[in-house]
């Protein structure tokens, strides 16, 4: 009963300050929402990788793979079977059916262990059609829809298959992928007879990949998920600023209540436990709202994320979200943890302040100001650490470390910079009202600095990520113009049609550029080798980063190859390095080209060099050089002559448009998270201004009494907010540019393997500035209305002797 | 300089105050509360008048009305021939800025400005910034060592000295003081009041001071006693 009475007294604070209560709950809910939303997206994507790995890669079982990353010889499988090992061969690679590229997985159903049997071939008829010519593709319903009419192979739909992949008999897969006698890996069953000769003796060149090891897709997408997590953390931190500032003020405002309760015999322990319980209760309530909003945010963003993962990495993630209990739990946990972290200082202070210490809401700001020297030192240390990481550390985590230290260091420095600016302005102004304006702005700083720091983070993230995306887009569009030089792209449905097409086209276009490639493993990495003809198009347009002067002559003569930027950077290749492209094919690196949007390494060789090693290479696709005004005519003639479906004849403009659409879709998620973070920062500002407006009367009343109207005071209040926002916005520009530079020069290189030039987009800053201006006006609107609408009697209370 | 002095003399000469049938009431939880009921009062230029009475007798309300901080329900506040109760918000703000100086029990200094800036603040707003006069005030108030401090760093007595300095630095024709020594001990209170009286006499300002204390009221030229919103 006593406890309940004390709790009622404590909770009455919030009843009398509903707006403060709303700010606390909304700050916490929003912080939780963005964090748990991002976690939900990551969890869904990772679950889908695992599902794909289990279904498509038999990842639940151990696999034997080549130790040096090359192919596994089929003879190794034969040797293992003969020795009594229960193993099954797999060969896999990408294959294009018309315009649709599928991941083809060749399996041997008779030896595949039961626990890895993804598709049901129990029926004798099914098994027979699967292993007999011409063969069967087992695909998902969606994939079947896409490739119907593009292949002569029989199609069988399986509910367990994932989009973008097909199971086929291993013999057919080797034929399609031109990998006769080669395997990608060998699946090892769990149950083996005892007394078998050890694997390392039988197949010493192979190594065992343990079950559930990280998959290629997981590895590739790691940077993307790390990116999302970083954004989620940033938004969470921004949200926590609101919570920290609201709890801090509420504790100071309630100090008289604490003092009275202590004087009435409530022990410090009971008081602390009750306050802790109150905070946990609020955290759980706000956490529930936050998780619900997070689910909504994740549902809205997931289709975009799925598209991004598909576009960037070829990873298939469903566009719908499932409710996972662990995600709910983590949402509540982060809400409670965030609240406890934000309130730790206030709770600690409660235990240290003497019983009879006077309540001083103003000291809340002043004590913070007293710690500014420590902040400056911490900022300097963080900025130095950021520089050190930039200079001496490597890897994606180090890149994010640079970003984190830079952002946190700069935000800690902001209050000192603002204070310095306001002091200079105050000292250089001579008019009384102007002097007071700057001095008063400086006095508001402790109360607003957390919100301004949050704003700085959100704005810098906007400027930085915006600059990175726009630089990327500008470079990408220019790169597309170079890369997609052919006016028309055509794909035959089979090799016979391709032969006829080549003959027919020979007299009708300026040049025919075959697009032929094979999958290979070079230096232990899955890669594509493309073959190109010697044509002026490449010499004029191909986007080379570095290369020998006679690079194209060397490629055409088979003396050299080009490598893409990501392969070049990842393997620290140099011009003149030798590459083992196949068992009997070595070549020299003679140039490097940019290849944005491709996660894998790529090599370009002369077409003759390629076809001499891979005579069966697919020759279905071609780029055609013609006069632009002849494109439409040639399209219709191709359709008339060969009956090619519209998807098989694509003009340059359509392809570029499609690429740009994919690009824009890729960064949709980033844009949305940017807006959310800015929204949270605006809310932080609103909440701080609202809180401060409750303490403003004693500061404003004397000025009003000396003859400044309420209207003028309200206008000055608006102007003060705008000035603080503007200075923070200006401070965010160099920080944002530094952020963009780190993203472009460090994080992107580590994550994707390519480095982009940085461009500046002042127009985007103006646009962001206008958004910021609107947000500033909105954030100050309610406090301002409150001030302008103050009755003289409210102001007079400040002067009343019996307050 | 001559024109400046003439302007001050004109303001002071015009500072004849006439309150006619002044009434003011407030809405409270218990209903309408009549605080002032038909007050009539005349003050001449340079007068110093003590307004005495119990708590709730209407002293502060009367000061607030004369200061133009609030408006009466009825009646006139004629100062220098002009009824300030008829002025709009901007007009009354101008009146407070240029003609009135206020000293409160709670001091009500501007917390964001240091002592020097607080003293010059009202004078600058009134357009009568005079560094020499401000220096003299600082010297006479004995706050020369406090100029770079902020209000929160001062004791109550020091804060009230600064508040008086700020008021008199603007050379107002009318000084309104509401329990100016209420937050000070007797010795400090006496010293502060003595200073205020001597300085306001020196500038020729009219002084209307609300106080509980009969003892302090005796220091002024005249006393007016309020009881239940009426002059008795």
């Amino acid at each position: 009963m006593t406890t309940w009475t004390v709790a009622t007294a404590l909770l009455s604070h919030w009843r009398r300050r509903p707006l403060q209560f709303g700010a606390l709950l909304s700050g916490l809910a929003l912080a939780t929402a963005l964090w748990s939303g991002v976690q939900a997206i990551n969890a869904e994507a990772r679950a889908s990788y695992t599902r794909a790995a289990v279904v498509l890669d038999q990842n639940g079982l151990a696999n034997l793979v080549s130790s040096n990353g090359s192919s596994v010889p089929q003879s190794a499988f034969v040797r293992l079977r003969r020795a009594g090992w229960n193993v099954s061969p797999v060969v896999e690679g990408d294959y294009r059916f018309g315009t649709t590229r599928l991941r083809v997985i060749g399996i041997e159903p008779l030896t595949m262990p039961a626990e890895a049997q993804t598709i049901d071939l129990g029926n004798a008829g099914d098994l027979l059609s699967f292993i007999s010519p011409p063969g069967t593709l087992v695909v998902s319903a969606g994939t079947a829809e896409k490739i119907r009419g593009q292949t002569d192979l029989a199609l069988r739909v399986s509910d367990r298959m994932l989009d973008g992949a097909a199971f086929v008999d291993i013999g057919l897969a080797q034929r399609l992928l031109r990998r006769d006698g080669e395997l990608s890996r060998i699946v090892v069953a769990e149950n083996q007879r005892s007394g078998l000769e050890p694997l390392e003796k039988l197949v010493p060149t192979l190594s065992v990949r343990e079950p559930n090891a990280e998959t290629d897709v997981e590895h590739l997408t790691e940077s993307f998920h790390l990116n999302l997590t970083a954004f989620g953390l940033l938004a969470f931190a921004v949200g926590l600023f609101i919570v920290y500032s609201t709890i801090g003020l509420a504790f100071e405002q309630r100090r008289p209540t604490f003092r009275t309760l202590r004087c009435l015999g409530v022990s410090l322990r009971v008081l602390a436990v009750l306050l802790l319980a109150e905070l946990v209760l609020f955290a759980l309530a706000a956490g529930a709202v936050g998780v619900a909003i997070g689910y909504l945010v994740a549902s809205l963003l997931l289709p975009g994320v799925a598209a991004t993962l598909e576009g960037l990495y070829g990873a298939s993630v469903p566009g719908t979200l499932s409710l996972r209990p662990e995600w709910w739990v983590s949402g509540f946990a982060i809400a409670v943890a965030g609240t406890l972290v934000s309130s730790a200082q206030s709770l600690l202070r409660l235990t240290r302040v003497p019983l009879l210490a006077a309540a001083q809401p103003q000291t809340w700001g002043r004590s913070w100001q007293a710690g500014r020297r420590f902040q400056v030192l911490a900022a300097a240390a963080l900025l130095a650490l950021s520089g050190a990481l930039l200079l001496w550390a490597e890897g994606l985590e180090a890149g994010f470390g640079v970003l984190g230290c830079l952002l946190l260091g700069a935000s800690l420095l902001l209050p000192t910079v603002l204070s310095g600016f306001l002091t200079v302005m105050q000292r250089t102004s001579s008019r009384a009202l102007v002097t007071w304006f700057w001095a008063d702005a400086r006095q508001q700083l402790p109360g607003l600095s957390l919100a301004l720091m949050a704003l700085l983070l959100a704005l810098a993230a906007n400027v930085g990520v915006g600059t990175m995306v726009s630089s990327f887009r500008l470079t990408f569009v220019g790169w597309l113009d170079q890369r997609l030089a052919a006016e028309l792209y055509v794909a035959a449905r089979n090799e016979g049609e391709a032969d006829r097409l080549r003959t027919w086209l020979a007299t009708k276009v300026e040049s025919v550029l075959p697009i032929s490639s094979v999958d290979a493993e070079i230096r232990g990495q899955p890669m594509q080798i493309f073959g190109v003809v010697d044509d002026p198009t490449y010499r004029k347009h191909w986007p080379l980063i570095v290369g020998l002067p006679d690079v194209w002559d060397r490629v055409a003569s088979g003396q050299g190859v080009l490598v893409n930027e990501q392969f070049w950077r990842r393997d620290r290749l140099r011009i003149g390095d030798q590459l083992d492209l196949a068992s009997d094919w070595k070549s020299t690196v003679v140039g490097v080209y940019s290849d944005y949007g491709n996660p894998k390494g790529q090599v370009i060789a002369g077409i003759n060099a390629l076809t001499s090693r891979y005579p069966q290479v697919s020759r279905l696709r071609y780029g055609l050089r013609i006069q632009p005004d002849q494109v439409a005519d040639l399209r219709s003639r191709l359709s008339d002559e060969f009956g090619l479906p519209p998807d098989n004849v694509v003009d340059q403009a359509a392809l570029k448009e499609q690429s740009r659409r994919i690009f824009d879709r890729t960064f949709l998620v980033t844009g949305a998270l940017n807006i959310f973070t800015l929204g949270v920062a605006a809310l932080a500002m609103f909440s701080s201004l609202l809180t401060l407006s409750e303490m403003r009367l004693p500061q404003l009343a004397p000025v009003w009494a000396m003859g400044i109207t309420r209207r003028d005071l309200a206008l000055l209040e608006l102007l003060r907010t705008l000035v603080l926002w503007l200075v923070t916005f200006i401070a965010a520009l160099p920080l944002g540019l530094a952020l963009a530079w780190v993203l472009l020069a460090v994080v992107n290189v580590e994550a994707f393997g390519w480095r982009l030039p940085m461009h500046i987009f002042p127009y985007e800053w103006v646009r962001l500035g206008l958004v910021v201006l609107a947000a500033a006006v909105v954030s100050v609107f309610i406090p301002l209305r409150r001030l302008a609408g103050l009755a003289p009697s409210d102001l007079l209370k400040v002067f009343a002797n019996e307050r | 300089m001559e024109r400046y002095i003439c302007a001050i003399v004109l303001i002071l000469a015009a500072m004849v105050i006439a309150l006619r049938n002044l009434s003011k009431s407030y809405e409270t939880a218990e209903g309408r509360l009549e605080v002032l009921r038909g007050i009539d009062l005349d003050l001449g230029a340079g007068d110093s008048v003590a307004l005495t009475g119990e708590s709730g007798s209407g002293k502060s309300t009367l000061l607030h009305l004369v200061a133009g901080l609030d408006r009466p329900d009825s009646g006139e506040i004629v100062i220098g021939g002009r009824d300030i109760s008829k002025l709009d918000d901007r007009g009354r703000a101008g009146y407070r800025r240029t003609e009135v100086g206020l000293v409160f029990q709670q001091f009500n200094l501007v917390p964001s400005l240091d002592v020097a800036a607080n003293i010059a603040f009202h004078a600058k707003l009134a357009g009568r910034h005079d560094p020499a006069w401000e220096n003299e005030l600082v010297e006479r108030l004995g706050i020369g060592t406090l100029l770079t401090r902020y209000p929160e760093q001062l004791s109550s007595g020091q804060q009230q000295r600064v508040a008086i300095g700020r008021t008199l630095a603007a050379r107002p024709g009318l000084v309104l003081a509401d329990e100016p020594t209420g937050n000070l001990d007797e010795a400090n209170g006496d010293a502060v009041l003595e200073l205020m009286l001597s300085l306001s006499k020196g500038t020729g300002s009219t002084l209307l001071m609300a106080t509980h204390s009969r003892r302090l009221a005796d220091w002024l030229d005249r006393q007016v006693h309020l009881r239940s919103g009426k002059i008795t």
Side-chain angles (χ1 to χ4, degrees):
Chain A
M1 188 62 192
T2 312
T3 310
W4 177 243
T5 310
V6 176
T8 315
L10 290 173
L11 287 169
S12 64
H13 170 85
W14 301 107
R15 203 175 53 240
R16 293 196 60 208
R17 289 180 172 79
L19 279 172
Q20 199 180 22
F21 186 55
L24 174 67
L25 288 194
S26 54
L28 198 53
L30 273 179
T32 312
L34 289 184
W35 169 260
S36 60
V38 163
Q39 291 312 308
I41 290 170
N42 283 347
E44 193 64 48
R46 288 197 178 115
S48 121
Y49 305 150
T50 309
R51 202 165 52 238
V54 169
V55 174
L56 303 180
D57 301 343
Q58 299 79 38
N59 198 33
L61 295 176
N63 279 268
L64 283 168
V65 292
S66 167
S67 303
N68 61 10
S70 59
S71 298
V72 175
Q74 196 163 318
S75 54
F77 165 69
V78 176
R79 202 176 313 136
L80 287 167
R81 288 297 293 189
R82 282 186 181 152
W85 279 88
N86 185 6
V87 290
S88 184
V90 175
V91 64
E92 57 194 330
D94 286 349
Y95 185 80
R96 196 176 276 274
F97 293 89
T99 54
T100 308
R101 183 186 283 269
L102 291 188
R103 182 177 167 201
V104 171
I105 304 144
I107 57 167
E108 210 285 291
L110 296 172
T111 55
M112 182 59 77
E115 56 269 39
Q117 290 279 5
T118 310
I119 48 170
D120 180 20
L121 295 170
N123 181 310
D126 289 342
L127 181 63
L128 202 63
S129 73
F130 187 76
I131 59 175
S132 311
T136 301
L137 287 170
V138 182
V139 289
S140 70
T143 308
E145 199 58 43
K146 270 188 183 171
I147 61 168
R148 211 174 291 282
Q150 303 275 5
T151 176
D152 300 330
L153 297 170
L155 295 178
R156 200 180 138 210
V157 173
S158 166
D159 293 342
R160 297 198 62 190
M161 280 304 290
L162 303 174
D163 287 342
F167 272 124
V168 296
D169 177 61
I170 191 156
L172 175 59
Q174 284 177 323
R175 191 158 49 80
L176 289 173
L177 300 171
R178 313 291 199 270
R179 295 182 67 175
D180 286 340
E182 288 181 9
L183 302 177
S184 302
R185 54 195 163 86
I186 298 171
V187 179
V188 184
E190 268 180 351
N191 296 325
Q192 302 287 347
R193 276 190 292 160
S194 57
L196 293 173
E197 198 175 345
L199 288 172
E200 53 270 29
K201 269 197 172 178
L202 280 169
V203 280
T205 56
L206 303 186
S207 56
V208 178
R209 192 173 71 194
E210 290 304 324
N212 302 318
E214 189 182 56
T215 61
D216 285 347
V217 171
E218 264 180 295
H219 181 69
L220 279 171
T221 54
E222 197 182 327
S223 58
F224 179 82
H225 292 297
L226 199 60
N227 238 318
L228 274 186
T229 305
F231 241 119
L233 258 179
L234 180 69
F236 185 66
V238 168
L240 280 196
F241 280 155
I242 306 177
V243 180
Y244 176 82
S245 121
T246 315
I247 290 179
L249 179 65
F251 266 64
E252 283 302 326
Q253 285 174 332
R254 284 196 290 183
R255 205 187 277 180
T257 313
F258 300 160
R259 193 179 51 189
T260 309
L261 289 171
R262 295 286 316 278
C263 289
L264 292 174
V266 177
S267 72
L268 184 63
R269 197 173 62 85
V270 168
L271 190 61
V273 168
L274 280 175
L275 284 168
L276 202 63
E278 173 197 81
L279 289 170
V280 171
L281 195 73
F282 290 170
L284 289 175
V289 177
V291 171
I293 299 174
Y295 181 79
L296 192 72
V297 169
S299 311
L300 290 173
L301 293 182
L302 194 61
V305 173
T308 303
L309 289 166
E310 170 83 41
L312 275 179
Y313 309 103
S316 171
V317 174
T320 52
L321 197 66
S322 2
L323 275 171
R324 295 168 197 284
E326 67 268 24
W327 173 61
W328 280 94
V329 172
S330 75
F332 281 115
I334 196 85
V336 172
T339 309
L340 293 181
V341 166
S342 309
S343 57
Q345 196 190 2
S346 298
L347 280 167
L348 205 67
R349 201 181 292 165
L350 173 79
T351 60
R352 289 181 178 170
V353 168
L355 180 64
L356 293 176
Q360 292 174 302
Q362 296 280 335
T363 49
W364 162 70
R366 280 204 298 273
S367 64
W368 189 89
Q369 205 169 21
R372 226 175 57 198
R373 188 177 293 175
F374 169 74
Q375 270 195 346
V376 172
L377 286 175
L382 281 167
L383 292 176
L385 181 62
S386 172
L389 284 172
L390 187 65
L391 287 174
W392 294 301
E394 279 187 359
L396 196 59
E397 283 76 13
F400 278 103
V402 172
L403 283 184
C405 291
L406 180 68
L407 283 175
L408 201 59
S411 63
L412 284 174
L413 212 54
L414 180 72
T416 304
V417 171
L418 281 173
S419 177
F421 164 75
L422 294 172
T423 306
V424 168
M425 295 309 287
Q426 185 190 341
R427 286 192 181 150
T428 51
S429 56
S430 56
R431 291 187 56 195
L433 205 56
V434 180
T435 308
W436 170 74
F437 174 83
W438 295 116
D440 189 58
R442 199 156 66 92
Q443 200 190 29
Q444 304 310 307
L445 213 48
L448 288 176
S449 59
L450 275 175
L452 288 167
M453 283 158 75
L455 184 67
L456 179 80
L457 287 181
L459 287 174
N462 258 277
V463 172
V465 175
T467 303
M468 187 268 281
V469 172
S470 297
S471 294
F472 195 176
R473 196 174 199 283
L474 196 67
T475 310
F476 182 73
V477 169
W479 172 80
L480 270 184
D481 288 340
Q482 291 179 301
R483 185 84 180 241
L484 299 178
E487 282 72 19
L488 204 60
Y489 291 85
V490 58
R493 284 162 292 192
N494 51 54
E495 292 295 342
E497 189 174 65
D499 283 344
R500 285 192 291 121
L501 199 60
R502 274 197 306 274
T503 315
W504 187 82
L505 284 168
T507 55
K508 293 177 180 63
V509 297
E510 288 168 16
S511 36
V512 178
L513 311 173
I515 304 171
S516 297
S517 69
V518 292
D519 286 332
E521 289 198 349
I522 304 171
R523 296 195 167 196
Q525 301 162 43
M527 251 178 242
Q528 283 181 306
I529 305 175
F530 275 81
V532 294
V533 292
D534 187 9
D535 189 274
T537 301
Y538 296 111
R539 292 171 188 266
K540 272 190 203 163
H541 296 283
W542 204 253
L544 284 181
I545 296 171
V546 283
L548 296 175
D550 55 349
V551 52
W552 290 107
D553 293 332
R554 287 175 187 253
V555 171
S557 65
Q559 291 169 11
V561 292
L562 300 170
V563 295
N564 68 355
E565 186 186 359
Q566 33 278 60
F567 182 27
W568 176 57
R569 288 192 191 277
R570 211 177 289 149
D571 277 50
R572 299 175 194 276
L573 292 173
R574 283 178 305 185
I575 302 294
D577 280 356
Q578 284 280 313
L579 284 181
D580 284 334
L581 300 174
S583 50
D584 59 341
W585 188 12
K586 283 185 173 38
S587 196
T588 310
V589 176
V590 292
V592 181
Y593 60 96
S594 44
D595 186 20
Y596 305 122
N598 178 10
K600 291 183 181 173
Q602 201 177 76
V603 173
I604 288 181
I607 188 81
N608 295 334
L610 181 75
T611 50
S612 63
R613 268 78 179 190
Y614 297 92
Q616 299 305 313
V617 66
S618 162
R619 293 168 173 228
L620 297 177
R621 295 160 63 223
Y622 300 92
L624 309 177
R625 298 303 315 264
I626 46 170
Q627 290 304 312
D629 57 357
Q630 294 172 356
V631 169
D633 180 48
L634 185 64
R635 268 187 88 133
S636 64
R637 287 176 69 188
L638 275 167
S639 173
D640 294 345
E641 195 74 26
F642 295 92
L644 286 172
D647 281 354
N648 287 37
V649 186
V650 183
D651 64 45
Q652 187 195 70
L655 209 54
K656 280 182 182 171
E657 182 50 37
Q658 192 186 356
S659 303
R660 282 190 202 120
R661 218 172 31 242
I662 291 171
F663 180 92
D664 290 338
R665 200 177 53 181
T666 300
F667 288 101
L668 216 59
V669 181
T670 317
L673 283 174
N674 251 336
I675 291 168
F676 279 130
T677 312
L678 198 59
V680 178
L683 190 81
M685 197 67 187
F686 167 72
S687 129
S688 299
L689 286 171
L690 202 65
T691 306
L692 282 179
S693 72
E694 291 183 4
M695 300 157 43
R696 291 290 280 150
L697 280 192
Q699 294 155 12
L700 296 176
V703 184
W704 169 74
M706 281 183 275
I708 306 300
T709 61
R710 282 169 294 164
R711 187 175 153 273
D712 288 347
L713 283 176
L715 281 175
L716 287 171
E717 203 73 354
L718 172 67
L719 197 61
R720 186 178 295 111
T721 307
L722 292 182
V723 165
L724 289 175
W725 277 67
L726 181 70
V727 177
T728 307
F729 174 70
I730 291 169
L733 292 179
L735 180 62
L737 289 179
L739 179 71
W741 184 84
V742 176
L743 283 171
L744 289 167
V746 182
V747 174
N748 272 3
V749 177
E750 294 291 347
F752 305 110
W754 59 70
R755 183 169 178 166
L756 299 157
M758 185 165 139
H759 298 277
I760 307 289
F761 302 88
Y763 171 70
E764 284 187 14
W765 301 348
V766 174
R767 208 174 49 178
L768 181 65
L770 290 175
V771 172
V772 165
L773 182 72
V777 172
V778 170
S779 77
V780 80
F781 182 70
I782 292 181
L784 211 62
R785 241 187 74 177
R786 217 185 230 194
L787 177 65
L790 271 180
S793 57
D794 295 322
L795 287 157
L796 286 173
K797 280 179 195 160
V798 174
F799 308 119
N801 298 334
E802 292 90 16
R803 272 190 296 169
Chain B
M1 188 64 182
E2 202 173 305
R3 205 176 54 175
Y4 181 67
I5 293 167
C6 282
I8 294 168
V9 170
L10 275 174
I11 289 170
L12 296 176
M15 200 49 71
V16 178
I17 300 166
L19 311 182
R20 295 284 171 265
N21 199 22
L22 208 57
S23 295
K24 178 72 182 175
S25 57
Y26 292 111
E27 230 20 275
T28 67
E30 290 80 32
R32 199 150 189 86
L33 176 70
E34 286 191 64
V35 183
L36 296 176
R37 310 170 194 209
I39 298 286
D40 288 299
L41 181 66
D42 289 288
L43 279 87
D47 280 358
S48 67
V49 178
L51 204 54
T52 58
E54 301 301 315
S55 292
S57 58
K59 303 187 297 291
S60 293
T61 304
L62 184 60
L63 283 187
H64 292 160
L65 293 180
V66 176
L69 293 169
D70 207 353
R71 293 175 113 152
D73 296 342
S74 62
E76 292 178 347
I77 306 166
V78 181
I79 294 171
R82 180 180 49 158
D83 185 356
I84 63 150
S85 65
K86 299 280 189 296
L87 296 175
D88 61 6
D89 197 38
R90 189 161 285 279
R92 279 184 291 129
Y95 160 72
R96 291 197 301 271
R97 200 162 54 235
T98 54
E99 297 174 38
V100 188
L102 298 158
V103 182
F104 300 100
Q105 182 180 339
Q106 310 286 349
F107 326 126
N108 296 108
L109 297 173
V110 181
S112 52
L113 298 177
D114 63 17
V115 167
N118 256 293
I119 287 177
F121 188 62
H122 196 178
K124 282 184 175 176
L125 285 180
R128 291 196 285 270
H129 177 43
D130 180 354
W133 169 231
E134 284 159 20
N135 286 340
E136 188 185 331
L137 280 172
V138 165
E139 201 174 307
R140 291 189 64 185
L141 288 162
I143 51 176
T145 56
L146 309 175
L147 292 177
T148 54
R149 293 204 196 163
Y150 283 84
E152 67 192 33
Q153 298 167 318
L154 303 178
S155 70
S156 301
Q158 289 169 333
Q159 287 196 54
Q160 196 59 299
R161 283 162 197 262
V162 176
I164 291 167
R166 179 185 69 186
T167 301
L168 296 176
R171 297 182 193 268
L174 173 63
V175 175
L176 300 168
D178 192 358
E179 302 281 5
T181 60
N183 269 352
L184 308 177
D185 59 48
E186 193 173 299
N188 246 317
D190 286 357
V192 163
L193 186 61
E194 196 180 340
L195 262 172
M196 189 170 74
L197 281 173
S198 100
L199 286 169
S200 62
K201 280 272 183 227
T203 55
S205 304
T206 304
L207 172 68
L208 181 60
M209 180 181 88
T211 179
H212 280 102
S213 165
R214 290 268 178 192
R215 190 179 66 82
L216 293 180
D218 287 341
W219 292 26
L220 274 68
D221 298 342
R222 188 151 62 102
Q223 292 183 25
V224 173
H225 191 70
L226 274 180
R227 180 176 291 163
S228 303
K230 284 186 172 176
I231 293 176
T232 56

